Amino acid sequence: MLVVRIQGGRAPRDWTRWGHPLSPESPQIWCFPLPDRMDLADLVEAIVLETPEERLEDCLGLWSTGDPAAGLSLASLDQLEPLAVMHARLHEPWILGPLAGVVESHFQPIVDLARQGEVYGYEMLCRARHPERGLLGGAETFALARRARCLDDLEQACQIRALARKAEMLPAGTPIFINALPQSLLGTDLHRHPSLSCLRRLGVAPEDVVIEIVESDHVEDIDAMSAACDTLRGLGFRIALDDLGTGYNGLALLASLRPDFIKLDRGLVHEAHGSRVRSVMLETLIAMARRLGCATVAEGLESERDLELCRDLGVHFAQGFLIGHPASVPVEPAPLPPRPEAGNPAGEAGEMRLMDYVTRVPTLPIEADRARVREMFRCHGDMGHLLVVGEGRPLGFIARDRFLREPPSRDHAGIGRLVRPLCNVLRGHVPVRQILWRLFHCREVHDPWVVVDDHGQLTGVIQPWQLLEQALKQGTDEGSHPLTGLSTGPALRGLLEKRRLAGQPQALLYIDLDNFKAFNDRYGFVRGDAMIKLLAECLRAAFGDHGECDLGHIGGDDFMVAGPAAAEVWLNRLHELALSFDQLCGHLYDRQDLERGFFTGDDGSCFPVANLSAVVVLPAPDAGMDSVALSERAAALKKEAKCHSGSVIVLDGDPPRCLPVEPVRDGDDDSWQEQAVAALERVARGPRGQGGHDLDAWFREHPYFELVYELDGQGHQRYANWVNPEMRGRIQTGGMGVDRSTRTYFHETVGRGQPFVSDIYLSSASEDFCVTLAIPLPDAAGALVGDINLAGLLALRSRTRIAGARAPALV
């Protein structure tokens, strides 16, 4: 009989299908007899499936051969283990056995960009061979070990295997990079670690081993981690900080560990050449590493454009599929592509060249069958189409949404009837201006744009909207901030001086985020940039329609508005800005920090959730001040603002007047969510088909949505994305058949049958910061999902804010 004790609340209602409470006096202890034709593993799985995921950690179970009604002994209570752990161990018992025979290490080369791609070392990537399913990926292997509570055993087996392969296959002086989980380095006598004794036995020098600490794992005691790294350095090892910018500790770990290498996460590097946000983040991280004396390693390089970006930014080392795939033996990678020649022989300085925007993509031979097409779409889930080639020449393309409607029973048939003709085939020397003109008049804008050489051989593809974006960027004022698009300090100072010389009275508004550095350290660069972008969008929403106001981002978390001197222009708009930011910034914090009202820094200090300090500097009544005098006055008023807790507005005067901004009350933030959910429910209840334009009229009524898509009961996307007509070309229209079953919004919506609203995140579809909304489908298993960017959130909130809201009186 299986005995389960559930802590903190009632047992799930569906448990009654398999068992019953021990007694009315013990409702937290349940007994589950083993049914006929069912073993213990099947019974545990049945109970796990009936239990919400967030409750599994509260369920402790054991297998009892006695009568539980007679009472559980102290010895049996010691054997209780989480039900999720029991489930993993019962279904995958091999993970608890000797791991030396099932763990494998694969070599992925790391090359030196300063030495034309010469191999510097190899990262040892761990795999485990499942007794039935073959070789598992590293992430899947470690996820299983985490569930079965045997992470330390797996990590030691992987490290020992990696060191053995190093001794066997690599010469002295060629370093290897091996992963170490932070918790495995704490509370352990590193001098007696099994890997160290293996190192001595194999004759591998510690100087040839780089310990990678995974920054995306939470580190509670940074001081202890720093001490552990000092011990490892004393033994001769070098330290790398992996996944920088995606984890919990960010700058705090970087400052304390002082790593020899910083590994830039694939999420930042991949396709960074086409993303203003990612390229800015990379540039910031590389500049910090340079100042700290750390070498940088770019992970996930898959395109020559990303390689060139990393070279231009000064990255030292690189790895990724462009360099070499993981292999069971060390492989010498192919030489790196040469750097483009300096200058621009194709035209005048600064002129755009088509070949600078060409990207290589996977192709399909015309002889392939449909099973090959299905496999390629599965491996490249973000591709809306596949190019078909014959003898190196592009013959046509196969669209994902059309192909996935084909029955799998025909997978061994040819692909000829599926191939659609190419409408957009370009020569590499075509002027970019001609392409932009063609783009303006093109109806088949979503079909692939293919580039060939003078002999008709495929060179690659382009994204025409990238050309348009770059052309617009070259035509705009260069004095704008790359993340927010607002004018920078020098541009604003020029405007102020022009106004002063013209005799126009002017006032300045300065806004900054309190405790932003602590937030950035706690939550990482991505959320930090999202908060900066959110404040910029709030600024645009409040002042962007006022023709006499100029908006600026003058560095870091400091913003400025220059405009008319009349105070009444500022107060209501500024108060609305503060309320909007207060309501929406909560989507950037962890839930427990929001509930407490504060978050903790690395030294244990407590910081309130985001507060704004805003000061309005008015010119002297007898004469206008120049920009220097206004800035000096602003500095004094900022000190006044910092004396107050919470968000505050300080208005210049004698004495200065203070306007506290009351935080949003519970429930005030629900109105925009309710309207957005109601809009999705209208789609869910109405007729919809597979056409890409079926929701165009709906998007015109609800323009704050970027895209909408539908999932079936298994989490697979039914049709291609429905994209807001204003966003077409910037967001892919593909997606049909993509597996989204692992996404949080799918589990929360389908599992609970309730709408779900995500936190703010960086969307890979639009390269913008968004929130995701999901609702269950009323007429079928599955969910309807929509994305809203920050500008859309502000527009949606402006529709639903409380009517007649007024700024409180100044005190």
Side-chain angles (χ1 to χ4, degrees):
M1 178 177 292
L2 177 66
V3 180
V4 177
R5 185 179 73 183
I6 185 166
Q7 307 175 95
R10 293 181 174 274
R13 182 181 304 173
D14 292 333
W15 275 16
T16 55
R17 295 177 56 192
W18 306 102
H20 54 82
L22 178 63
S23 67
E25 293 78 22
S26 303
Q28 270 69 47
I29 299 178
W30 279 65
C31 301
F32 297 92
L34 191 62
D36 294 337
R37 295 191 298 267
M38 181 180 282
D39 60 18
L40 180 60
D42 293 334
L43 175 60
V44 171
E45 181 167 24
I47 299 169
V48 166
L49 291 175
E50 303 289 355
T51 306
E53 187 175 352
E54 67 272 12
R55 298 295 310 277
L56 280 177
E57 287 297 321
D58 298 330
C59 301
L60 306 177
L62 63 85
W63 175 252
S64 175
T65 56
D67 182 4
L72 296 175
S73 66
L74 292 176
S76 63
L77 290 176
D78 290 338
Q79 299 173 17
L80 286 168
E81 61 182 0
L83 205 60
V85 176
M86 187 181 236
H87 177 264
R89 293 181 172 182
L90 286 169
H91 281 267
E92 305 289 355
W94 63 272
I95 197 72
L96 301 175
L99 295 173
V102 298
V103 167
E104 299 182 12
S105 283
H106 287 196
F107 300 79
Q108 185 172 33
I110 299 173
V111 299
D112 190 335
L113 294 181
R115 296 178 177 271
Q116 291 74 48
E118 177 183 314
V119 172
Y120 172 75
Y122 292 86
E123 180 173 0
M124 307 303 291
L125 299 172
C126 294
R127 307 285 189 264
R129 192 163 293 280
H130 192 281
E132 298 173 357
R133 293 190 283 136
L135 203 61
L136 303 180
E140 185 178 0
T141 303
F142 274 86
L144 174 59
R146 182 175 281 106
R147 292 197 302 270
R149 298 277 177 94
C150 60
L151 266 178
D152 288 346
D153 294 338
L154 176 63
E155 184 181 53
Q156 288 183 21
C158 291
Q159 290 176 356
I160 291 172
R161 178 62 175 167
L163 293 172
R165 296 289 285 161
K166 151 69 177 172
E168 178 186 356
M169 304 295 297
L170 294 176
T174 301
I176 60 170
F177 289 66
I178 61 176
N179 284 284
L181 299 174
Q183 60 266 27
S184 69
L185 300 178
L186 302 177
T188 303
D189 185 353
L190 296 176
H191 292 84
R192 300 181 180 179
H193 196 278
S195 299
L196 191 60
S197 60
C198 174
L199 194 79
R200 298 191 189 101
R201 176 171 52 81
L202 294 170
V204 176
E207 293 78 12
D208 281 354
V209 179
V210 181
I211 306 294
E212 288 191 18
I213 297 170
V214 183
E215 194 264 332
S216 54
D217 275 15
H218 185 50
V219 179
E220 294 183 357
D221 193 341
I222 294 180
D223 290 338
M225 177 58 65
S226 179
C229 289
D230 288 342
T231 300
L232 289 171
R233 284 195 186 90
L235 294 171
F237 298 99
R238 286 178 290 174
I239 304 297
L241 187 57
D242 198 9
D243 298 341
L244 186 65
T246 64
Y248 297 88
N249 304 92
L251 295 178
L253 264 182
L254 182 58
S256 297
L257 301 191
R258 295 169 287 111
D260 303 279
F261 300 88
I262 292 175
K263 302 198 76 176
L264 305 169
D265 183 70
R266 180 189 184 278
L268 295 179
V269 174
H270 183 61
E271 298 296 336
H273 71 273
S275 168
R276 183 172 59 187
V277 172
R278 296 184 194 179
S279 59
V280 169
M281 293 171 65
L282 275 177
E283 187 174 4
T284 302
L285 286 171
I286 292 165
M288 291 173 53
R290 187 180 296 116
R291 293 183 180 182
L292 294 172
C294 307
T296 48
V297 183
E299 298 181 294
L301 278 175
E302 296 183 12
S303 73
E304 294 182 13
R305 294 288 306 281
D306 287 335
L307 172 65
E308 286 310 309
L309 175 65
C310 290
R311 280 171 161 170
D312 292 341
L313 293 177
V315 174
H316 300 94
F317 304 102
Q319 70 179 108
F321 291 167
L322 179 67
I323 312 296
H325 289 257
S328 57
V329 296
V331 177
E332 188 79 16
L336 292 181
R339 300 196 66 162
E341 296 181 4
N344 188 0
E348 299 177 358
E351 183 179 340
M352 297 168 58
R353 296 185 305 172
L354 174 63
M355 294 307 295
D356 291 339
Y357 298 87
V358 173
T359 303
R360 294 180 180 177
V361 294
T363 58
L364 194 71
I366 188 64
E367 300 83 11
D369 59 14
R370 301 186 184 195
R372 175 79 179 277
V373 179
R374 192 176 302 278
E375 175 65 17
M376 289 191 69
F377 275 132
R378 187 190 66 80
C379 294
H380 303 280
D382 58 341
M383 295 188 65
H385 50 255
L386 286 172
L387 290 183
V388 179
V389 298
E391 298 182 352
R393 297 174 178 267
L395 303 178
F397 72 99
I398 297 177
R400 171 189 287 272
D401 53 354
R402 180 181 175 184
F403 172 76
L404 292 181
R405 293 197 292 269
E406 293 284 319
S409 59
R410 303 187 62 190
D411 274 2
H412 295 292
I415 63 174
R417 293 187 177 182
L418 299 175
V419 178
R420 296 170 57 183
L422 291 165
C423 299
N424 304 309
V425 180
L426 310 168
R427 299 286 180 179
H429 51 73
V430 174
V432 171
R433 293 181 182 276
Q434 182 176 334
I435 299 172
L436 295 177
W437 180 257
R438 184 170 174 176
L439 173 64
F440 181 78
H441 293 278
C442 180
R443 294 185 178 181
E444 302 297 335
V445 66
H446 303 301
D447 289 357
W449 288 61
V450 176
V451 181
V452 298
D453 62 18
D454 290 335
H455 303 288
Q457 296 290 301
L458 177 66
T459 302
V461 300
I462 63 167
Q463 299 294 332
W465 293 100
Q466 289 184 3
L467 299 179
L468 180 59
E469 181 182 10
Q470 185 65 23
L472 292 173
K473 183 178 178 181
Q474 288 189 359
T476 59
D477 182 8
E478 294 183 357
S480 60
H481 193 279
L483 177 62
T484 61
L486 297 177
S487 298
T488 54
L492 278 176
R493 285 196 296 271
L495 291 171
L496 291 175
E497 287 304 305
K498 287 181 181 179
R499 288 184 177 183
R500 185 183 69 83
L501 294 174
Q504 299 174 348
Q506 57 191 332
L508 292 185
L509 163 64
Y510 284 88
I511 301 177
D512 67 7
L513 289 163
D514 298 339
N515 308 309
F516 177 70
K517 181 181 181 302
F519 175 87
N520 215 29
D521 290 347
R522 166 68 177 86
Y523 286 106
F525 293 100
V526 174
R527 289 206 218 181
D529 279 359
M531 181 170 282
I532 294 293
K533 188 74 180 290
L534 174 61
L535 182 52
E537 293 298 338
C538 291
L539 203 66
R540 281 194 179 94
F543 293 97
D545 63 344
H546 196 295
E548 298 184 42
C549 290
D550 294 302
L551 316 183
H553 185 177
I554 55 178
D557 59 338
D558 292 317
F559 293 82
M560 187 175 78
V561 180
E568 58 270 15
V569 172
W570 303 94
L571 292 184
N572 283 340
R573 289 173 179 262
L574 189 51
H575 187 258
E576 179 64 21
L577 179 152
L579 287 180
S580 297
F581 182 78
D582 185 55
Q583 285 189 344
L584 297 177
C585 74
H587 295 277
L588 292 168
Y589 288 84
D590 288 350
R591 185 58 52 188
Q592 70 249 20
D593 290 343
L594 276 180
E595 292 173 351
R596 294 183 302 181
F598 65 90
F599 64 94
T600 56
D602 301 321
D603 59 356
S605 301
C606 296
F607 300 94
V609 294
N611 292 325
L612 298 178
S613 292
V615 299
V616 180
V617 187
L618 301 175
D622 53 344
M625 292 186 284
D626 61 21
S627 59
V628 175
L630 286 169
S631 299
E632 291 175 349
R633 180 60 181 156
L637 292 176
K638 281 184 180 181
K639 293 181 180 178
E640 175 74 20
K642 298 297 183 182
C643 295
H644 299 270
S645 60
S647 294
V648 66
I649 303 168
V650 175
L651 183 66
D652 198 2
D654 189 17
R657 292 176 292 168
C658 177
L659 169 64
V661 180
E662 294 296 328
V664 179
R665 298 183 300 275
D666 292 342
D668 284 354
D669 192 30
D670 293 339
S671 53
W672 74 264
Q673 298 182 23
E674 292 171 357
Q675 180 166 326
V677 168
L680 281 183
E681 288 175 342
R682 177 181 167 188
V683 175
R685 291 192 299 268
R688 58 193 179 278
Q690 302 178 20
H693 297 274
D694 284 0
L695 299 187
D696 283 4
W698 178 86
F699 277 117
R700 284 192 287 271
E701 294 182 35
H702 309 283
Y704 37 84
F705 279 95
E706 286 190 342
L707 60 85
V708 173
Y709 52 89
E710 183 176 329
L711 306 181
D712 63 20
Q714 285 71 47
H716 293 87
Q717 188 167 328
R718 284 196 174 104
Y719 317 121
N721 299 328
W722 293 291
V723 178
N724 189 323
E726 298 296 326
M727 302 293 292
R728 288 204 178 104
R730 287 177 285 171
I731 298 179
Q732 295 180 353
T733 56
M736 182 176 178
V738 173
D739 184 359
R740 306 187 190 275
S741 60
T742 60
R743 305 296 175 90
T744 302
Y745 57 77
F746 173 73
H747 289 286
E748 292 290 326
T749 304
V750 175
R752 297 186 177 186
Q754 297 292 328
F756 172 79
V757 181
S758 77
D759 291 331
I760 295 173
Y761 68 99
L762 181 61
S763 168
S764 60
S766 63
E767 296 292 351
D768 203 352
F769 293 102
C770 298
V771 298
T772 292
L773 279 77
I775 64 169
L777 291 173
D779 54 350
L784 197 66
V785 186
D787 287 351
I788 303 177
N789 63 23
L790 295 183
L793 285 178
L794 268 297
L796 182 56
R797 183 189 175 277
S798 68
R799 295 187 176 195
T800 58
R801 64 178 182 266
I802 301 173
R806 300 288 182 184
L810 290 164
V811 296

